[in-house]
Amino acid sequence: MKIKEAKVIVCSPGRNFVTLKIVTNEGVYGVGDATLNGREKAVVSYLEDYLCPALIGRDPQRIEDIWQFFYRGAYWRRGPVGMTAIAAIDTALWDIKAKLANMPLYQLLGGRSRDRIMVYSHANGATLEDTLEEVARHVEMGYKAVRVQCGIPGIGSTYGVAKGGKTYEPADADLPTEACWSTEKYLNYVPQLFEEMRKQFGDDLHILHDVHHRLTPIEAARLGKAVEPYHLFWLEDCVPAENQEAWKLIRQHTTTPLAVGEVFNSIHDCRELIQHQLIDYIRSTIVHAGGITQLRRIADLAALYHVRTGFHGATDLSPICMGAALHFDFWVPNFGIQEHMAHSEQMLEVFPHAFEFEKGYFTPGETPGHGVDIDEKLAAKYPYKRACLPVNRLEDGTLWNW
């Protein structure tokens, strides 16, 4: 069996997605997600100009060898563009291999470790009252865990909070918009949000919160300590993680569980965080961290240090990545939770899928492969339109972390 075709499909059914389709000479094909939010065309070029031509004629079942060929062979290792491209190839090859075995992907990985996969969704509002209403709506939908983001008085826009009742989509303009941020206002207000959350919803609901890399280590330590009485499931991305050692300071000051990793591209981005037990959940994604092949290595390392998985699952990942992640979640022994930001009906029509949601839990389905496909004719009706992520400035105009 040989690879005869590898093509990139770009579409925008509500937002931009990049899909890689690998076809064999025996007619079996696999698909992988190659979406890098706000930088989609960079991955398209890397695939079309460099990787796809080198795939032709290769044995699709040699997944590890192909992974090493593109990772080691490039010389310029790691980075979001390169690793997203490799992840797309890797996911498509695992899809093919599971189809050849006539089994769902989780079986090929080693079989399931649980009966269902707990997910968390997003609840946000411009005001405290709006946010509490959104949380209540998600609880009624059956979610056992909810990520809560709220508008901050005195700040014009806040990460995670949608405008005008629409679904939150951060890539909101052709060129980056600029938002204003105040760490002081945020730190003073957020503990009030979780105090009200516990008053209204009690202690059983799992509450998560995303800081989105906006604090310094000592500020993150202050926040983690302030919210300890409300026992969050986790505090996500409280500081940028380029300096992994900085997390020691946070850990010294708070017992609030810490999660990080959606922007990581390799095991080296989280190695020290895991080995020194500075985090509790690793959030790396299949699509940005080199695919299933490398994510298995990350999860295995994490398991040695009592770190569990909590993979990123916002709609900047296509349903293909979600399907593959759910199969991974079904298998991985140190599973923690899976993010679920629901794709629109339009998106799900373009990407037919086998996964199912019921009362706060997902199952990946029993379809051979990872269970997600792409309707190419329908995808062609939704052309790409450039959309960029915003940038942040402090109130004095200093550029800050978005």
Side-chain angles (χ1 to χ4, degrees):
M1 176 178 284
K2 301 294 182 182
I3 296 171
K4 74 170 187 178
E5 182 183 15
K7 64 177 178 178
V8 181
I9 304 160
V10 183
C11 64
S12 187
R15 71 157 341 276
N16 294 319
F17 294 120
V18 180
T19 303
L20 176 67
K21 185 173 184 178
I22 296 177
V23 184
T24 71
N25 61 349
E26 296 184 13
V28 181
Y29 68 87
V31 292
D33 186 10
T35 306
L36 183 61
N37 195 11
R39 295 293 185 269
E40 296 90 357
K41 287 294 189 73
V43 183
V44 172
S45 175
Y46 193 65
L47 282 166
E48 291 184 337
D49 295 335
Y50 301 101
L51 304 195
C52 288
L55 276 171
I56 306 306
R58 296 186 181 276
D59 181 352
Q61 298 189 78
R62 296 183 63 178
I63 298 175
E64 183 67 45
D65 184 68
I66 290 173
W67 196 96
Q68 297 292 341
F69 179 85
F70 287 123
Y71 179 78
R72 294 173 183 264
Y75 184 71
W76 311 107
R77 301 181 184 181
R78 304 162 64 186
V81 174
M83 295 307 285
T84 299
I86 290 174
I89 293 170
D90 189 75
T91 304
L93 294 179
W94 277 101
D95 192 25
I96 290 172
K97 201 171 189 71
K99 288 175 179 175
L100 291 173
N102 195 33
M103 61 177 60
L105 176 58
Y106 76 83
Q107 292 286 18
L108 197 64
L109 293 173
R112 61 186 173 90
S113 297
R114 56 201 45 83
D115 298 325
R116 51 187 181 168
I117 299 158
M118 185 170 72
V119 298
Y120 72 89
S121 190
H122 297 189
N124 64 77
T127 67
L128 179 57
E129 292 73 20
D130 292 341
T131 304
L132 294 174
E133 287 180 10
E134 271 297 292
V135 174
R137 188 173 70 85
H138 283 80
V139 170
E140 290 175 5
M141 293 167 63
Y143 286 98
K144 314 301 180 188
V146 182
R147 193 193 82 168
V148 183
Q149 310 291 136
C150 181
I152 307 299
I155 301 178
S157 62
T158 306
Y159 167 78
V161 178
K163 296 179 180 179
K166 298 179 180 179
T167 302
Y168 180 67
E169 172 51 64
D172 59 358
D174 179 60
L175 294 174
T177 57
E178 297 191 11
C180 184
W181 172 253
S182 168
T183 298
E184 294 77 11
K185 291 183 175 71
Y186 170 79
L187 287 175
N188 288 335
Y189 189 75
V190 165
Q192 302 174 44
L193 167 65
F194 296 115
E195 181 180 12
E196 290 300 318
M197 280 288 300
R198 286 302 178 206
K199 285 181 181 178
Q200 183 160 328
F201 298 100
D203 293 328
D204 292 336
L205 180 66
H206 297 303
I207 300 174
L208 303 88
H209 180 67
D210 186 359
V211 183
H212 222 245
H213 317 277
R214 298 186 177 195
L215 303 180
T216 65
I218 197 65
E219 291 167 347
R222 170 186 161 186
L223 178 61
K225 193 169 185 178
V227 300
E228 281 181 8
Y230 315 117
H231 50 91
L232 271 60
F233 188 94
W234 76 35
L235 195 63
E236 176 186 342
D237 291 344
C238 52
V239 297
E242 286 93 340
N243 179 7
Q244 296 184 39
E245 191 170 342
W247 290 68
K248 291 181 180 178
L249 189 151
I250 306 169
R251 200 59 139 180
Q252 290 169 359
H253 289 279
T254 181
T255 59
T256 297
L258 303 174
V260 71
E262 69 182 51
V263 301
F264 290 173
N265 309 127
S266 80
I267 196 169
H268 304 290
D269 294 324
C270 56
R271 178 171 47 81
E272 293 179 24
L273 291 171
I274 291 172
Q275 289 178 331
H276 296 296
Q277 295 179 263
L278 301 179
I279 59 173
D280 302 281
Y281 296 90
I282 181 64
R283 303 201 64 248
S284 302
T285 72
I286 287 172
V287 70
H288 295 149
I292 293 166
T293 294
Q294 186 175 222
L295 206 58
R296 291 178 77 178
R297 296 188 179 110
I298 293 174
D300 284 342
L301 175 65
L304 298 178
Y305 297 95
H306 309 286
V307 175
R308 292 182 285 181
T309 64
F311 298 148
H312 180 63
T315 48
D316 62 349
L317 314 180
S318 89
I320 292 172
C321 186
M322 184 65 177
L326 289 170
H327 280 273
F328 196 100
D329 295 335
F330 226 26
W331 158 74
V332 69
N334 53 319
F335 172 76
I337 200 168
Q338 170 67 53
E339 182 177 18
H340 172 234
M341 188 177 177
H343 292 97
S344 68
E345 291 185 12
Q346 191 178 54
M347 296 173 187
L348 294 175
E349 287 174 356
V350 172
F351 296 94
H353 56 283
F355 55 75
E356 295 182 349
F357 172 80
E358 184 179 1
K359 296 181 179 179
Y361 295 89
F362 263 92
T363 50
E366 296 297 318
T367 302
H370 56 51
V372 186
D373 205 342
I374 183 170
D375 184 330
E376 293 185 62
K377 290 184 179 179
L378 187 55
K381 296 181 179 180
Y382 303 107
Y384 169 85
K385 182 179 180 181
R386 186 173 63 195
C388 294
L389 296 170
V391 298
N392 249 3
R393 291 187 184 275
L394 299 180
E395 291 180 304
D396 67 358
T398 303
L399 195 70
W400 199 243
N401 304 310
W402 176 76

